[in-house]
Amino acid sequence: IELNPNNPNTVFASGSSIFYSHDGGDSFTASSGLPLISAVGRMAITVTEADSNYLYAVAASNIDNGLLGIYQSTDGGNSFTLRHDTTNLLGYSEDGSSSGGQGWYDLAITCSHSNKNRILVGGVNVWRSVDGGVTFSIVSHWVHPSSVGYTHADIHSLDFIGPRLFCGSDGGIFRSFNSGTS
């Protein structure tokens, strides 16, 4: 569940799809442009204070629990468009080439409070996009030592508190003092 940072009566909920409410959760409407519910194992969403019309969603496949897609809404969650589905952000490898993942267990997404195009996605590893989810680079890998930095596997939460990015995983809480740049 996410709240619109500018209007707490606007509520967004995700599971195997995304729904939005403009009446504080009394009624919900399904968003359009997302994959079929039968293809989705699980979804997670984020909304940014930088522009509360921007929402991002990460969807895990119900077949192999790898990445099904990253979706973006620019109209407050009414509709979404596919932004990325080529690199498996939910797999184990540093280059996104592995198949499958653990989307059924670990799945997180967040967006910068000051830059609507900077998003971070977590599964086994943490990945960053600075172009609204079109391309991604890995910022932490679950194997230690790693050439890109280490965060324990199984990312359950990614949240910005001020300029700091916090990552909640099976290994505890990790933080970045540079907004997830490294």
Side-chain angles (χ1 to χ4, degrees), residues 3 7 12 14 16 18 38 44 54 57 61 69 72 80 86 112 118 121-122 137 151-152 165 167 178 182:
L3 299 178
N7 180 358
F12 305 99
S14 67
S16 55
I18 296 175
S38 61
Y54 274 67
S61 166
Q72 178 192 62
F80 283 81
T86 54
S112 165
R118 179 179 296 170
V121 173
S137 58
T151 303
H152 189 85
L165 172 68
C167 172
N178 57 10
S182 60

Side-chain angles (χ1 to χ4, degrees), residues 76-160:
N78 293 323
S79 62
F80 283 81
T81 56
L82 177 66
R83 301 288 284 175
H84 183 91
D85 66 354
T86 54
T87 307
N88 184 9
L89 307 177
L90 304 181
Y92 300 91
S93 68
E94 275 189 31
D95 64 3
S97 65
S98 59
S99 61
Q102 294 183 173
W104 59 273
Y105 179 67
D106 43 38
L107 189 65
I109 188 169
T110 193
C111 188
S112 165
H113 296 310
S114 60
N115 181 344
K116 65 185 177 190
N117 291 305
R118 179 179 296 170
I119 62 172
L120 289 106
V121 173
V124 177
N125 303 304
V126 179
W127 297 79
R128 180 188 65 241
S129 173
V130 294
D131 58 10
V134 175
T135 61
F136 284 85
S137 58
I138 192 167
V139 294
S140 72
H141 190 249
W142 68 281
V143 174
H144 180 70
S146 170
S147 63
V148 294
Y150 169 76
T151 303
H152 189 85
D154 304 333
I155 311 304
H156 299 288
S157 176
L158 291 169
D159 293 291
F160 280 99

Side-chain angles (χ1 to χ4, degrees), residues 2-5 12 45-49 51-52 54-56 111:
E2 292 282 327
L3 299 178
N4 179 317
F12 305 99
I45 57 172
T46 188
V47 61
T48 176
E49 290 178 28
D51 185 337
S52 60
Y54 274 67
L55 282 85
Y56 292 94
C111 188

Side-chain angles (χ1 to χ4, degrees), residues 29-53:
T29 303
S31 298
S32 65
L34 296 165
L36 295 173
I37 291 174
S38 61
V40 176
R42 188 169 149 205
M43 294 184 94
I45 57 172
T46 188
V47 61
T48 176
E49 290 178 28
D51 185 337
S52 60
N53 285 314

